[in-house]
Amino acid sequence: MPDTYTLAVAQPRTAPPERREDNAARAVELVAEAAARGADLVLFPEHSPGPFTEAESYDAAPAMAEAARAHGVNVCWSRMERCPDGLFRLVVHVTDRTGAPAFRYERSHPATVPPKDTGGWVAPGPVLGSFTLDGVPMGIVVCSELWIPEPARVLALRGAEILLSPAGGGFTSLAPNWEMIARVRAVENQCYLALTNNLWDVESGSAMVTGPEHPLAVAGRAELAVAPLDLARLRWLRAQDDQLGAVKPFDAIPGLLRARRPELYAELSEPRDGLFDYHTPPQEISEQR
């Protein structure tokens, strides 16, 4: 298990719908740049390089595999795809340094915005996204999944030291709180978290790499940011207890994952009235009503 790791977050300027397949070529360029800057893994936004919707048919997988192999870097990217059960889901793929598939995550908490705004109803995936790459435990939380505390916490309890959070972008007025949530998830779960998004129009991006004690890199309007991670420091923080005194050897309360009392939290797993229905297509809900 390595003591250091280098993450790159890519937030490409997205091509218009009539040229959406151009996103794959730009992604290849960003993979090359990230590798040249020493990245072990480069994270792309949700739907990037695509396809973005079920109506688009281009295939970015070969380009991502070849870029990863050619530059010896892991690549995390995503697209909308029809799954073996015939339903469409947002799927995040991790391609390893050899260009081989390393992990596949079907987004388990799809967006709660109207289907007409996302290109159609998107089915939920069955499991959370935990995996190990290069000997490092990692997890994936996509877009608004970051705003729900439980997925990130469960992934951290499974051992994830790095959380990858690809988002679609277009945060507009949500951007300050979105960036704050990213920092909070890293602090409360004592992990490193990489957030990235597509750049639309002229907005400033929110791509960042942040840790349990402080942010490490913020992209702003740049399409790429790279940050080295001190995994040994993270493991030390997780193993320590808090302490009194004016001078503390840490900038965030340590040992939080060990300070929990699970016997008090049973309500978190109990069914509740009024929960959002991810599983039933909207047209079926309308028919039932």
Side-chain angles (χ1 to χ4, degrees), residues 12-27 29 47-53 55-60 198-201 223:
R13 290 177 176 84
T14 302
E18 65 273 14
R19 294 190 295 105
R20 200 76 87 187
E21 63 273 12
D22 292 351
N23 291 320
R26 181 57 183 146
E29 294 173 346
H47 299 108
S48 179
F52 277 60
T53 71
E56 298 169 350
S57 59
Y58 69 92
D59 186 3
N198 297 287
L199 285 180
W200 305 97
D201 300 323
E223 290 185 281

Side-chain angles (χ1 to χ4, degrees), residues 122-194:
V122 179
V127 297
L128 297 179
S130 57
F131 66 105
T132 298
L133 186 68
D134 293 338
V136 181
M138 302 187 189
I140 298 174
V141 284
V142 180
C143 203
S144 58
E145 288 185 321
L146 184 66
W147 288 63
I148 305 170
E150 289 84 359
R153 173 51 56 90
V154 171
L155 293 170
L157 291 174
R158 291 178 182 177
E161 297 178 342
I162 298 173
L163 293 181
L164 306 175
S165 188
F171 295 164
T172 62
S173 62
L174 296 180
N177 281 334
W178 210 300
E179 295 159 15
M180 179 184 69
I181 288 289
R183 292 192 59 187
V184 167
R185 294 290 171 266
V187 172
E188 68 187 3
N189 293 300
Q190 294 184 324
C191 64
Y192 290 104
L193 189 142

